Amino acid sequence: MAKVCFLSGIEIPRGKESVEHYAPKSRVPKSLAQRSQNLFPAIKVINFVKGNLMPCEWEELKYERIYYAYKHWHIKPADKKILRQALNGMPKINPCEYCICSQYQQHCVKGR
């Protein structure tokens, strides 16, 4: 069964899988970042584009960030194809539903 990228909704091509720390390692304590509830399958290039954005920030900026990477980054044609596919439509989700910070509100950037 093929895995689907949590960030983009795209099927993950062979050799392009990474582990997404939905709440980034750089922005929450390591003990939270490494919990299984914070780890999701992702396509490497999409994960790289997300960078250290918190889930709510990613949801607001994902099209802008992917478009910028598509237009300005020097990336392999296969990765460019993935970005183009993402620009054609990604699922809209409630990031708080999956964000570990909803359980540990002191780390939530929205203060929820």
Side-chain angles (χ1 to χ4, degrees):
M1 183 181 230
K3 288 187 179 181
V4 174
C5 174
F6 182 76
L7 298 173
S8 66
I10 299 169
E11 185 176 314
I12 301 172
R14 178 181 225 123
K16 300 283 186 183
E17 183 177 355
S18 68
V19 175
E20 161 61 4
H21 293 78
Y22 199 40
K25 295 182 286 188
S26 64
R27 300 199 45 199
V28 297
K30 186 177 181 179
S31 61
L32 291 184
Q34 298 298 354
R35 290 194 180 188
S36 61
Q37 307 96 305
N38 191 48
L39 304 175
F40 296 93
I43 298 171
K44 288 178 188 178
V45 70
I46 303 285
N47 195 357
F48 192 72
V49 171
K50 177 184 174 277
N52 74 339
L53 293 177
M54 291 296 279
C56 50
E57 296 166 336
W58 169 250
E59 191 60 31
E60 291 173 13
L61 298 171
K62 62 187 177 184
Y63 282 99
E64 181 180 320
R65 298 277 298 237
I66 289 176
Y67 182 77
Y68 184 87
Y70 180 80
K71 286 293 190 181
H72 300 283
W73 292 8
H74 298 287
I75 56 176
K76 296 176 184 175
D79 289 337
K80 205 160 192 141
K81 181 180 176 184
I82 290 168
L83 296 182
R84 190 171 48 250
Q85 188 177 353
L87 288 169
N88 285 328
M90 293 179 278
K92 182 160 179 56
I93 65 167
N94 174 359
C96 297
E97 185 177 333
Y98 300 97
C99 182
I100 197 156
C101 295
S102 64
Q103 298 169 30
Y104 301 91
Q105 294 177 357
Q106 67 272 29
H107 301 292
C108 178
V109 296
K110 300 267 181 166
R112 296 181 179 155

